[in-house]
Amino acid sequence: MDKAVVPAEKKQYQEIGEDLRAQIIQGHYPVGSRLPPERNIAETYGVSRTIVREALLMLELQGTVDIRQGSGVYVMRIPEEHENEEERLLTSDVGPFEILQARQLLESNIAAFAAKMATRADIDNLRRIIEQEQRAIAANDNSQDNSKMFHLVLAGATQNQMLLATVESVWHHMDSSPLWQQFNVHIASRAYRLKWLGDRQTILAALRRRDVMGAWQAMFQHLENVKKSLLELSDEDAPDFDGYLFESVPVFQGKLV
């Protein structure tokens, strides 16, 4: 007998997004109106603002709302009640904050290990990628994903193929994640690219010094900056409220755990 197919369990952000969508369909928020501040939505559902942000990204991806930096979240259309279920729920997608948590845990330790293991050729390759990104920003060129290249070359600098394959797998997931791609729509500006460029220069400087702890901290802070940028997209009422989703990875007596 064939096994019954068990439907994928909805993630918390999906449940909240579906409930907000239902309220829009029911007329609580007409086209052009602004949704309540994220702080209020978070308090209503008893969740963190990060979960609310993922729900709103889902609705934006569906074309239901528009997230406007420094202004709020506005209803763009009234969705059909019976739109394609698979498209609406995005049940296989992982939220951006969960991705960033995994990356902080993984890539911070990879950067620390690379500070020990990187060769001169690895350092030169990372420097060339940074210089390439500098030229791309100046020319407003988005044709190459220098961010991805930097992180993959850094993982390769550990001289451990399993670590490189793991980071490649994470980036493959991000490349195929609708929510992550929607997030990238908001952080593709020149200002953000310059910010990430500065973060990578700090990481490279730590590698050059063979500074294990400095490399760990630089990578962790870089991904923390990316996470905060997602929270700041439309927080017109309190940009620093709920400014983190997860506790920082603990460090005891100067050693990574």
Side-chain angles (χ1 to χ4, degrees):
M1 179 182 296
D2 293 336
K3 292 184 178 179
V5 177
V6 179
E9 183 179 352
K10 292 183 186 178
K11 299 177 177 65
Q12 196 170 27
Y13 78 83
Q14 293 167 339
E15 293 177 345
I16 292 171
E18 285 296 293
D19 194 60
L20 290 171
R21 178 182 177 276
Q23 292 181 49
I24 292 171
I25 291 173
Q26 293 162 12
H28 295 290
Y29 304 106
V31 172
S33 66
R34 189 171 71 173
L35 294 183
E38 290 175 8
R39 178 200 296 264
N40 294 11
I41 297 175
E43 290 175 350
T44 297
Y45 290 99
V47 298
S48 71
R49 182 170 288 187
T50 56
I51 298 296
V52 174
R53 173 50 53 82
E54 290 175 335
L56 294 174
L57 277 174
M58 183 184 83
L59 292 177
E60 185 179 49
L61 182 62
Q62 296 164 0
T64 302
V65 304
D66 181 30
I67 300 174
R68 302 177 189 174
Q69 185 165 4
S71 178
V73 181
Y74 293 82
V75 177
M76 300 301 293
R77 71 179 183 96
I78 305 299
E80 296 292 331
E81 191 165 359
H82 300 294
E83 287 181 357
N84 183 274
E85 186 76 4
E86 182 177 0
E87 178 182 344
R88 287 198 297 110
L89 296 181
L90 302 170
T91 52
S92 64
D93 207 1
V94 175
F97 288 102
E98 193 169 349
I99 290 173
L100 286 168
Q101 182 197 36
R103 290 186 61 194
Q104 281 185 311
L105 290 167
L106 174 64
E107 294 189 58
S108 298
N109 286 287
I110 282 176
F113 191 39
K116 286 185 175 181
M117 303 298 295
T119 65
R120 176 68 179 270
D122 293 325
I123 298 295
D124 287 343
N125 286 335
L126 290 167
R127 176 183 53 79
R128 280 193 286 269
I129 293 170
I130 286 177
E131 292 173 350
Q132 183 170 287
E133 177 66 357
Q134 287 174 318
R135 292 191 295 270
I137 293 172
N140 197 27
D141 180 6
N142 296 299
S143 61
Q144 290 185 307
D145 192 345
N146 293 310
S147 174
K148 180 178 180 178
M149 290 172 58
F150 182 89
H151 286 273
L152 292 181
V153 170
L154 179 59
T158 63
Q159 318 306 324
N160 185 305
Q161 291 301 306
M162 182 56 68
L163 289 175
L164 173 58
T166 302
V167 174
E168 286 176 333
S169 176
V170 172
W171 278 85
H172 175 74
H173 182 91
M174 290 192 296
D175 288 341
S176 59
S177 164
L179 281 179
W180 183 265
Q181 295 307 315
Q182 188 64 29
F183 169 40
N184 275 337
V185 168
H186 292 286
I187 61 167
S189 70
R190 185 174 186 273
Y192 278 119
R193 290 179 71 183
L194 285 170
K195 188 174 183 178
W196 312 148
L197 180 66
D199 287 351
R200 292 183 204 116
Q201 289 171 328
T202 302
I203 295 168
L204 179 58
L207 263 63
R208 280 175 161 163
R209 298 192 306 268
R210 299 292 181 185
D211 183 353
V212 172
M213 198 63 204
W216 185 94
Q217 291 173 333
M219 178 61 78
F220 189 91
Q221 187 59 51
H222 167 55
L223 294 170
E224 190 73 11
N225 292 340
V226 176
K227 184 167 63 180
K228 287 180 179 179
S229 71
L230 176 55
L231 280 170
E232 292 169 357
L233 288 178
S234 65
D235 290 351
E236 76 286 355
D237 56 339
D240 60 346
F241 177 79
D242 199 13
Y244 59 91
L245 174 59
F246 307 101
E247 293 291 343
S248 297
V249 178
V251 181
F252 295 107
Q253 298 179 351
K255 297 181 180 180
L256 305 179
V257 296

